[in-house]
Amino acid sequence: MGNGIIIRITRVDKTLQTPMYFFLANFSFLEICYVSTTIPKMLMNLWTQQRNISLFECATQMCFFLIFGGTECLLLAVMAYDRYVAISNPLHYPLVMKRRVCIQLVTCSWITGIPVPIGQMYQTYSLPFCGSNQINLFFCGMPQVFTLACGDTFPNEMLVYIVVVLFVTVPFLLILGSYGKIISTILKLPSATSRAKAFSTCSSHLIVVTLFFGSGFTTYFQPKSKHSSERDRFLSLFYTILVPVFNPMIHTLRNKDVMVALKKLLPQCFVTLATNFNFLCLFSFNSGVL
């Protein structure tokens, strides 16, 4: 609901139809897709107490989870570049970040995040599986699936690290480079008010980056000897549920423009709901009379 509201207000409010909020709307849509790969199945298992998943469902879940996770890393890097251009080159910002360029950057983030996870998933499920078929996690994570394989998983694990470097480390380094330039530009601003205003436009994105990449690095780059089922479950809950829940709050509560747009939109939503409710009551009453 939080991400859906962000998408709605960026489409309705004309003051939010800028490159920054265009990327934010796409990020919110990506978050909806990201959580939809794991949470519905988890809720179903909790409700029915069956706690099982077919091999095809497990492969499909893993594939989409990797696609959306990789795309999110790339899109966060694109959003950091957008903030860098807006703060470091404000006069050239409308020329550099045209709508066509924004669409191309988002499209490239989606397209780049698709083929590699599909190949990685295919290679993973080509392994021979035997013995235990229990995953100590609420969704099909790749490290957990490797523990069920009978063959040598070292090549697959090395491929995971390579993919993580490409889709996590490289975007993270690009984000660090962008924020290094941003901070140096902010420190050169003459007044404290200008510095605070410039930093406030980046603070929400910076918090989201810290939460998402921090949990990702902790999960995939810690040594095998330090892995534990309890820690893996906690981290998986953190980056698949808690971070997506916090993201809409971070982007709305720390953004004055979004808060103003919300104050305009919410009364309209209540009026629409009340009108629809009255119409349904009137329709039901008339239907009963007839």
Side-chain angles (χ1 to χ4, degrees), residues 122-135:
Y122 175 79
Q123 186 183 19
T124 300
Y125 282 89
S126 298
L127 291 169
F129 292 97
C130 59
S132 175
N133 60 350
Q134 295 183 357
I135 297 176

Side-chain angles (χ1 to χ4, degrees), residues 66-237:
L66 293 174
I67 289 174
F68 295 138
T71 304
E72 187 163 338
C73 294
L74 297 173
L75 190 56
L76 285 171
V78 169
M79 294 170 72
Y81 173 72
D82 171 71
R83 293 297 83 208
Y84 158 71
V85 177
I87 294 176
S88 299
N89 300 291
L91 298 178
H92 295 88
Y93 181 71
L95 298 175
V96 176
M97 301 304 294
K98 297 179 180 178
R99 183 165 183 83
R100 178 175 57 86
V101 176
C102 295
I103 293 173
Q104 289 174 347
L105 288 172
V106 171
T107 304
C108 288
S109 298
W110 279 93
I111 294 176
T112 306
I114 291 176
V116 175
I118 292 177
Q120 192 175 16
M121 183 271 299
Y122 175 79
Q123 186 183 19
T124 300
Y125 282 89
S126 298
L127 291 169
F129 292 97
C130 59
S132 175
N133 60 350
Q134 295 183 357
I135 297 176
N136 197 10
L137 205 63
F138 69 89
F139 70 98
C140 289
M142 189 165 289
Q144 287 73 29
V145 173
F146 285 159
T147 60
L148 308 182
C150 298
D152 183 17
T153 60
F154 179 76
N156 302 80
E157 292 173 1
M158 291 304 300
L159 181 61
V160 170
Y161 282 109
I162 293 172
V163 172
V164 169
V165 168
L166 291 176
F167 284 91
V168 179
T169 308
V170 172
F172 182 70
L173 292 177
L174 293 175
I175 292 171
L176 285 181
S178 298
Y179 274 104
K181 294 286 186 179
I182 289 171
I183 292 172
S184 64
T185 302
I186 291 176
L187 293 177
K188 293 177 183 178
L189 294 176
S191 65
T193 305
S194 300
R195 290 194 294 270
K197 185 177 180 180
F199 184 75
S200 65
T201 62
C202 305
S203 58
S204 299
H205 179 259
L206 191 58
I207 293 172
V208 172
V209 166
T210 303
L211 291 174
F212 184 77
F213 282 95
S215 58
F217 280 122
T218 306
T219 302
Y220 289 98
F221 281 103
Q222 62 177 335
K224 234 180 181 182
S225 58
K226 293 186 178 181
H227 273 278
S228 66
S229 58
E230 291 79 8
R231 184 183 300 176
D232 289 343
R233 285 197 299 269
F234 172 77
L235 289 173
S236 64
L237 287 171

Side-chain angles (χ1 to χ4, degrees), residues 34-35 38-39 42 46 65 137-139 215 219 229-246:
Y34 180 69
V35 298
T38 55
I39 293 180
M42 179 193 70
L46 290 174
F65 181 79
L137 205 63
F138 69 89
F139 70 98
S215 58
T219 302
S229 58
E230 291 79 8
R231 184 183 300 176
D232 289 343
R233 285 197 299 269
F234 172 77
L235 289 173
S236 64
L237 287 171
F238 186 80
Y239 64 76
T240 58
I241 296 178
L242 295 181
V243 173
V245 167
F246 289 144

Side-chain angles (χ1 to χ4, degrees), residues 31-46:
E31 284 284 84
I32 294 173
C33 297
Y34 180 69
V35 298
S36 298
T37 60
T38 55
I39 293 180
K41 184 65 178 177
M42 179 193 70
L43 295 177
M44 185 182 297
N45 288 339
L46 290 174

